[in-house]
Amino acid sequence: MSEKKNTSDDSDYVSVPQFYAGTDVFLTGGSGFMGKVLIEKLLRSCPDVGHIFVLMRCKQGKSPEARVKDLTDNPFFETLKKQNPTALAKLVPMFGDCMQLRLGMSDEDIRQLQSVSVVFHLAASVRFNDPLKDAILTNVLSTREIFEICKGLPSLKAVVHVSTAYSNPEQLHVEERLYSPKADWKKMLECALQFDHQVLNILTDKITNSAPNTYTFTKGLAEQVCKDYQSQLPLVIFRPSVVVNTIDEPLVGWIDNLNGPSGMLLGAGTGIVRTDLMPLENRANTIPADISIKALLLAAWQRGTKEHTFRGDYLPVYNSAAEYEHSWQYKKMLDCGKANMTRLSFTKLLWVPGGSATTWRLKYYVMVLLAHILPALLVDALCLISGKKPFLMKIQRKVFLAQASLRYFVYNQWIFETKRFRSLRDELQGDDVKTFSWHLSEEKIDQFYFECWMGVRRYLLNDPDETIPKAAKKMNRLILIDRVLKVGFALLVLYLVWHSSILHHLEMQLVRHSR
């Protein structure tokens, strides 16, 4: 597919805030990490946007209204609240469930969407170990159902489907285009709706053709749903790589989940994770959340303002990924973590951070036994003795399973073509350049390693910067205790070896004299 160049003069340019002004937006996945960043950026940088309808289900006894309030009570929204105190009133919670037909929405709620012009479908299950049935319902059924709803929206300008850069993981060189389907999405969806979990769990490996997990398999299927609807809707496929902390706005280093590098940093920084199986020279392709969301908003803007320049079956695909030189090398990431572990340590520490990564499986399993399992059993035993609830063995089990689920992605490297993704910022003019463009450099990426560490400290562990001196004192005490214990253990081993050698020598002397 090809696209025509924009040959219009500057007078025809529609700015991004102009495009969204008075525009009602429908959003799924608003409670997720990217959803929060999208809501905040849209309200802050496009203050005249219309209503933002946010699909949410009830969770833990909380209504969608209560969940939206919890979402916006986050420090991440403080800048927005100061700049535009009434902006959050534009959020309209909508009850629904992405695993249900018609998204679980009532007729009345669907009628409220008649004024919607832009749709962002971010909702997805990002858990790699989801049962196949759940993954199909969440990632494939929801895509079909939202497209069916979109067909009834008279003012529709753009529908952005958020996929993943790893929707075709067997392709190590990923172009900005659709790939051949690995299965018929309609048949897969029919199976998920008809069969129970047990049947599909038995057939998972055969159905997915041994895909690394159900997440990538079903996200690939969802892209095929887009292909079948491309002539009926103004669609865009947006593929982020590993989305990490914000790099610039509104808070530097903000993060709210343990997925990807943030989980590795937290585990290592608290002294819980002490080994992993990974080639340190490999790289993880990460994209800061705020950069990816800027591009997401621009993808809808470009589709909505230039639809007339494209054919009816046009389906642009954007790989929202970092260029190779800006991706994260595991060695550099671990070195940065080690440099900060003692200087900017966490107040919540289990033990002194340490350990190493290896590519030797035997060494890895020995290290897991010695550095993860045995200490966990000891700590849990002490918890039981003191009347407290054991916790560490459960955590180490999760760590082991998480490392196993990520191994395919750690041992493989991908090259992502990003020409169309980068072209989004090249289209910008005037104030839009400052508000929606981005720039990455080696120096900025190096600083970003540090900001990610601080982000984990501030926003995941709720450790304010004022606690750094206190944390440093605690770390120094633990280092001292750690060294004393290591020296004591070494002396004990030497004593036992020496003592056993003396006993052996005496025994030999007695044997000689007895003769």
Side-chain angles (χ1 to χ4, degrees):
M1 294 182 184
S2 62
E3 58 185 90
K4 296 180 182 178
K5 290 280 186 179
N6 178 26
T7 56
S8 59
D9 57 36
D10 291 355
S11 62
D12 295 330
Y13 180 79
V14 177
S15 72
V16 180
Q18 281 179 323
F19 170 72
Y20 285 103
T23 296
D24 285 353
V25 174
F26 180 42
L27 168 69
T28 68
S31 62
F33 178 47
M34 289 188 72
K36 292 172 186 171
V37 182
L38 173 60
I39 290 171
E40 196 279 339
K41 178 64 175 175
L42 187 55
L43 289 173
R44 179 166 50 85
S45 298
C46 302
D48 295 325
V49 67
H51 293 101
I52 302 177
F53 297 96
V54 185
L55 187 75
M56 283 193 180
R57 58 190 172 91
C58 296
K59 190 175 182 180
Q60 297 178 345
K62 291 185 177 181
S63 66
E65 291 78 11
R67 291 188 64 198
V68 166
K69 186 179 184 308
D70 289 346
L71 181 152
T72 55
D73 282 343
N74 193 295
F76 187 70
F77 287 85
E78 289 304 313
T79 301
L80 170 65
K81 291 176 181 177
K82 291 177 182 177
Q83 292 182 3
N84 190 353
T86 62
L88 295 176
K90 296 185 177 186
L91 293 179
V92 182
M94 306 285 284
F95 174 77
D97 187 342
C98 285
M99 297 180 71
Q100 302 294 325
L101 295 173
R102 290 175 24 122
L103 302 181
M105 298 178 69
S106 66
D107 291 337
E108 181 182 350
D109 284 345
I110 291 177
R111 281 194 293 270
Q112 282 193 65
L113 301 179
Q114 289 301 296
S115 60
V116 165
S117 299
V118 177
V119 175
F120 294 102
H121 180 40
L122 283 78
S125 170
V126 297
R127 292 182 295 273
F128 287 175
N129 60 348
D130 256 357
L132 181 59
K133 180 182 178 75
D134 292 347
I136 291 175
L137 293 179
T138 305
N139 296 334
V140 182
L141 175 66
S142 67
T143 304
R144 185 193 71 177
E145 295 304 293
I146 198 169
F147 290 172
E148 285 296 320
I149 291 173
C150 286
K151 284 166 60 177
L153 304 181
S155 305
L156 198 61
K157 296 178 182 177
V159 181
V160 184
H161 171 75
V162 178
S163 183
T164 172
Y166 304 96
S167 56
N168 300 279
E170 70 283 354
Q171 302 288 338
L172 297 183
H173 185 99
V174 184
E175 300 176 26
E176 292 179 300
R177 65 176 179 88
L178 284 174
Y179 286 90
S180 300
K182 291 175 277 294
D184 186 326
W185 70 266
K186 293 179 181 178
K187 291 181 179 178
M188 291 296 98
L189 184 53
E190 185 179 350
C191 289
L193 292 171
Q194 288 186 359
F195 300 128
D196 60 22
H197 283 86
Q198 187 175 6
V199 172
L200 286 177
N201 288 344
I202 294 171
L203 299 173
T204 294
D205 286 342
K206 184 174 182 60
I207 291 174
T208 61
N209 296 316
S210 299
N213 51 60
T214 57
Y215 170 68
T216 59
F217 175 71
T218 53
K219 293 300 279 185
L221 291 179
E223 290 193 0
Q224 299 305 317
V225 182
C226 296
K227 181 180 180 181
D228 283 1
Y229 280 84
Q230 66 179 343
S231 62
Q232 305 172 59
L233 298 170
L235 274 164
V236 169
I237 293 178
F238 191 83
R239 294 175 178 158
S241 58
V242 180
V243 182
V244 294
N245 312 53
T246 53
I247 194 170
D248 286 317
E249 58 176 278
L251 295 173
V252 177
W254 184 78
I255 187 75
D256 76 341
N257 63 82
L258 294 174
N259 299 330
S262 59
M264 296 171 61
L265 290 174
L266 187 144
T270 53
I272 293 174
V273 178
R274 311 189 76 81
T275 189
D276 199 356
L277 193 63
M278 65 165 60
L280 293 178
E281 70 279 2
N282 277 13
R283 291 172 175 262
N285 194 294
T286 60
I287 189 77
D290 48 337
I291 289 180
S292 197
I293 289 302
K294 285 178 180 178
L296 185 65
L297 290 169
L298 293 179
W301 163 74
Q302 189 175 73
R303 190 71 168 100
T305 56
K306 301 182 180 181
E307 183 180 3
H308 62 281
T309 66
F310 304 128
R311 297 200 307 267
D313 62 349
Y314 177 69
L315 180 56
V317 179
Y318 298 91
N319 288 339
S320 176
E323 296 169 39
Y324 181 80
E325 60 271 22
H326 296 149
S327 56
W328 287 16
Q329 187 183 50
Y330 292 116
K331 183 180 185 304
K332 197 169 184 179
M333 183 170 66
L334 291 178
D335 288 344
C336 177
K338 288 178 181 179
N340 291 321
M341 280 176 187
T342 53
R343 185 169 61 93
L344 298 165
S345 59
F346 305 150
T347 57
K348 301 176 180 68
L349 288 172
L350 181 69
W351 199 248
V352 179
S356 61
T358 181
T359 55
W360 188 20
R361 285 186 178 272
L362 178 60
K363 179 182 178 182
Y364 168 71
Y365 288 119
V366 170
M367 287 294 295
V368 167
L369 175 64
L370 297 178
H372 287 182
I373 296 176
L374 292 181
L377 291 173
L378 176 61
V379 170
D380 283 357
L382 293 174
C383 287
L384 285 171
I385 293 170
S386 61
K388 296 179 180 179
K389 186 178 180 181
F391 69 96
L392 192 52
M393 196 62 204
K394 183 178 180 181
I395 292 177
Q396 291 295 8
R397 181 178 180 275
K398 290 182 178 179
V399 168
F400 183 80
L401 292 175
Q403 290 180 343
S405 68
L406 291 171
R407 196 144 296 139
Y408 177 89
F409 301 93
V410 169
Y411 268 81
N412 287 289
Q413 295 190 92
W414 288 263
I415 300 296
F416 299 101
E417 289 192 7
T418 58
K419 182 178 179 181
R420 183 177 281 127
F421 169 68
R422 287 181 283 113
S423 73
L424 289 169
R425 63 186 179 191
D426 298 335
E427 298 280 345
L428 298 173
Q429 299 178 21
D431 293 338
D432 284 351
V433 175
K434 180 180 179 181
T435 308
F436 292 97
S437 189
W438 64 89
H439 174 69
L440 290 175
S441 63
E442 284 291 328
E443 296 76 17
K444 197 165 186 177
I445 291 296
D446 289 343
Q447 177 64 20
F448 189 42
Y449 285 111
F450 167 77
E451 297 297 351
C452 286
W453 175 269
M454 293 303 293
V456 169
R457 194 181 194 284
R458 290 168 183 153
Y459 306 115
L460 292 183
L461 291 173
N462 295 316
D463 266 356
D465 293 358
E466 293 76 21
T467 64
I468 290 176
K470 176 185 174 182
K473 290 180 181 179
K474 183 176 181 179
M475 174 63 78
N476 290 333
R477 287 197 300 270
L478 281 176
I479 290 174
L480 179 61
I481 295 171
D482 182 68
R483 288 174 179 171
V484 169
L485 289 175
K486 285 179 178 176
V487 171
F489 180 75
L491 290 175
L492 177 62
V493 170
L494 287 173
Y495 171 77
L496 291 174
V497 171
W498 179 76
H499 190 64
S500 63
S501 65
I502 290 178
L503 289 176
H504 179 69
H505 178 72
L506 289 174
E507 184 179 354
M508 293 296 295
Q509 291 294 329
L510 288 172
V511 170
R512 284 179 188 167
H513 286 301
S514 64
R515 291 176 180 175

